[in-house]
């Protein structure tokens, strides 16, 4: 398993059920959450699917690389998840 930072942008209306849905999708695919933060609603640089604002959610988690494609497929089925980004965190080299 690798460590990733996942950024998810959700529609800004009724966020709690959406956050719970994101957590369900992640747990369904065996993701181990290390931490999560939610800076809240931010203005988007450009309109996404008719939305001018989005609720940002950051998750640090351990994810098996094969699960990422499955997670993305589930995210695509939910129209309230506007964008997502997986960034692999490199472990520091030991000298």
């Amino acid at each position: 398993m690798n460590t990733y930072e996942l950024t998810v942008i959700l529609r800004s209306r009724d966020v709690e059920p959406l956050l719970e849905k994101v957590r369900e999708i992640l747990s369904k695919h065996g993701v181990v959450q290390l931490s999560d933060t939610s800076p809240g609603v931010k203005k988007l640089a450009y309109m996404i699917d008719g939305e001018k604002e989005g609720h940002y959610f950051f998750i640090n988690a351990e994810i098996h690389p094969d699960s990422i494609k499955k997670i993305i497929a589930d995210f695509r089925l939910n129209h309230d998840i506007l964008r997502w980004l997986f960034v692999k965190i490199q472990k520091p080299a030991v000298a």
Side-chain angles (χ1 to χ4, degrees):
M1 293 182 85
N2 297 325
T3 304
Y4 291 88
E5 180 180 86
L6 170 62
T7 302
V8 180
I9 303 174
L10 304 168
R11 292 187 190 275
S12 58
R13 63 172 192 270
D14 202 20
V15 174
E16 250 340 283
L18 299 177
L19 290 176
E20 190 59 37
K21 183 65 179 170
V22 169
R23 289 185 183 117
E24 284 177 23
I25 291 170
L26 295 175
S27 65
K28 178 175 102 173
H29 295 289
V31 173
V32 177
Q33 284 192 13
L34 303 175
S35 66
D36 59 24
T37 57
S38 178
V41 176
K42 303 272 184 190
K43 184 178 177 193
L44 300 172
Y46 54 90
M47 287 184 72
I48 300 174
D49 204 21
E51 297 288 329
K52 294 180 181 179
E53 295 180 334
H55 188 93
Y56 282 71
F57 190 59
F58 302 113
I59 302 168
N60 286 332
E62 290 184 359
I63 306 171
H64 194 278
D66 295 337
S67 298
I68 292 178
K69 288 183 181 178
K70 296 174 187 174
I71 293 169
I72 290 172
D74 284 348
F75 282 173
R76 284 187 177 143
L77 294 176
N78 190 333
H79 70 280
D80 290 324
I81 300 174
L82 298 174
R83 293 286 188 270
W84 57 87
L85 176 67
F86 289 89
V87 177
K88 184 177 178 182
I89 309 241
Q90 299 293 331
K91 295 181 182 175
V94 179

